């Protein structure tokens, strides 16, 4: 074969390989990033349905997620569809608070914000996947449509003296499988 | 036979390298182009964060620079990589961030704002004081009309607390201006919002 043809074939393989890699990356990059966080939490011993609380402001030593914010405290959890619906219990809270529910592709499927959180008593919210799972339950609900869901809680801190009280609030946020019934 | 083996290896190697350096491409997309996003002065944002309708490349770029970000209903994230004169933000210079009016957040709904400095690696800037952010919930020198200034420099000034440290090494840096519970005005008309000016001193 003519050496020029060899070079053309190699060039074509390079271009096709680069484009294939690019398409794969565009499609899966958000998924890889979410999975990276999920794996990190599992490695730290935080199972699905359990909370990982960030109880102090992030500093420059923390390199888990790029561009971290350092004006809110976080509580993070993953839940998986195979574990069925969950019930989220949020203690009374009056500062800024939000819980975002992200699917594996970083789409925000829903929020719980200050308008859903009572400032004088505990709030209870059902996290479910089908209408059937909600039947007969008269509590506020959030419906998910993905296998894996990343719950990100953010809590505003007005001054550093509030941090111990917010940490206590974080520790009292509970995720309970609906199938476990009213154990506690 | 050897030629085709080499061709397949080149193909697979190109896939690997393309995936390996995709993050760098996303950095370029995020920093050098506002894409279908919005640019108001040096500040760029994308109101499609967290939405299914956002294009795949934009979703990937958002996952790169703001994984886990709220959508714009809850928070609007503005990023700046240049100053008011379109020059790259660089740690060897000093800057003033000038607010001519109160930031557009719903304070009555517990909304707040913050300004954070990030180094070239997109992480918080190492400094002995552990100071990375100025936000509205902390005590600030803020006059009644909301007009105020924040100084960015390597060296701490003597006169003001409204200061954020820049990286000690010579490098580009970026700013994030987060507006938690932005006003309807900012959400609906982000291009007309009065944004803080970033002025090189």
């Amino acid at each position: 074969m003519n050496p020029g043809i060899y070079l053309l074939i190699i060039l074509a393989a390079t271009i096709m390989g680069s484009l294939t890699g690019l398409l794969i990356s565009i499609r899966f990059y958000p998924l890889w990033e979410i999975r990276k966080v999920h794996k990190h939490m599992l490695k730290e011993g935080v199972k699905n349905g359990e909370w990982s609380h960030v109880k102090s402001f992030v500093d420059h030593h923390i390199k888990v997620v790029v561009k971290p914010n350092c004006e809110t405290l976080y509580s993070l959890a993953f839940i998986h569809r195979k574990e069925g619906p969950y019930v989220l219990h949020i203690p009374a809270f009056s500062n800024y608070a939000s819980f975002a529910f992200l699917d594996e592709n970083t789409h925000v499927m829903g929020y719980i914000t200050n308008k859903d959180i009572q400032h004088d008593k505990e709030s209870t919210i059902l996290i479910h996947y089908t209408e059937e799972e909600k039947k007969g339950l008269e509590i506020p609900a959030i419906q998910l449509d993905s296998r894996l869901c990343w719950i990100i809680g953010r809590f505003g801190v007005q001054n550093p003296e509030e941090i111990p009280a917010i940490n206590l609030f974080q520790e009292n946020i509970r995720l309970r499988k609906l199938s476990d019934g009213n154990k506690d | 036979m050897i030629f085709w083996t080499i061709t397949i290896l080149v193909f697979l190697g190109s896939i690997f390298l393309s995936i390996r350096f995709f993050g760098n491409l996303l950095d370029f997309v995020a920093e050098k182009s506002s894409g279908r996003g919005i640019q108001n002065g040096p500040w760029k944002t994308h109101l499609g964060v967290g939405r299914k309708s956002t294009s795949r490349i934009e979703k990937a770029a958002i996952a790169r620079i703001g994984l886990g970000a709220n959508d714009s209903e809850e928070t609007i994230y503005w990023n700046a990589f240049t100053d008011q004169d379109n020059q790259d933000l660089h740690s060897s210079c000093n800057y003033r961030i000038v607010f001519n009016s109160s930031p557009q957040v719903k304070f009555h709904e517990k909304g707040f704002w913050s300004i954070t400095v990030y180094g070239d690696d997109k992480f918080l800037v190492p400094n002995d004081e552990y100071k990375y952010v100025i936000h509205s919930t902390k005590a600030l020198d803020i006059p009644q009309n909301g007009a105020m200034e924040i100084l960015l420099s390597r060296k701490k000034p003597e006169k003001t607390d409204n200061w954020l440290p820049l990286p000690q090494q010579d490098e580009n840096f970026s700013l994030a201006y987060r507006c938690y519970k932005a006003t309807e005005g900012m959400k609906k008309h982000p291009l007309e919002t009065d944004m803080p000016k970033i002025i090189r001193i």
Side-chain angles (χ1 to χ4, degrees), chain A residues 37 40-41 46-47 49-54 64-65 74-78 99 150-155 170 173 175:
Chain A
V37 179
H40 176 81
M41 282 179 57
V46 183
K47 296 176 194 150
E50 293 180 356
W51 289 101
S52 169
H53 303 298
V54 180
V64 180
V65 177
Y74 287 97
S75 289
L76 310 170
F78 279 90
F99 290 85
W150 186 18
I151 309 174
I152 306 174
R154 289 180 172 87
F155 318 111
Q170 288 176 286
I173 303 167
L175 265 171

Side-chain angles (χ1 to χ4, degrees), chain A residues 108-171:
Chain A
V108 179
M109 293 179 285
Y111 274 111
I112 293 168
T113 63
N114 286 98
K115 65 178 166 39
D116 313 297
I117 299 168
Q118 310 285 329
H119 58 82
D120 53 354
K121 60 178 183 180
E122 182 179 88
S123 309
T124 306
I125 290 133
L126 175 71
I127 304 166
H128 68 112
Y129 302 92
T130 64
E131 284 302 318
E132 189 66 26
E133 290 164 344
K134 189 179 180 293
K135 236 176 215 175
L137 293 167
E138 296 299 325
I139 56 172
I142 193 156
Q143 188 166 4
L144 308 179
D145 63 1
S146 73
R147 285 187 309 161
L148 194 67
C149 170
W150 186 18
I151 309 174
I152 306 174
R154 289 180 172 87
F155 318 111
V157 181
Q158 291 183 359
N159 62 64
E161 289 79 53
E162 288 181 338
I163 291 178
I166 295 174
N167 289 164
L168 189 64
F169 161 80
Q170 288 176 286
E171 282 163 18

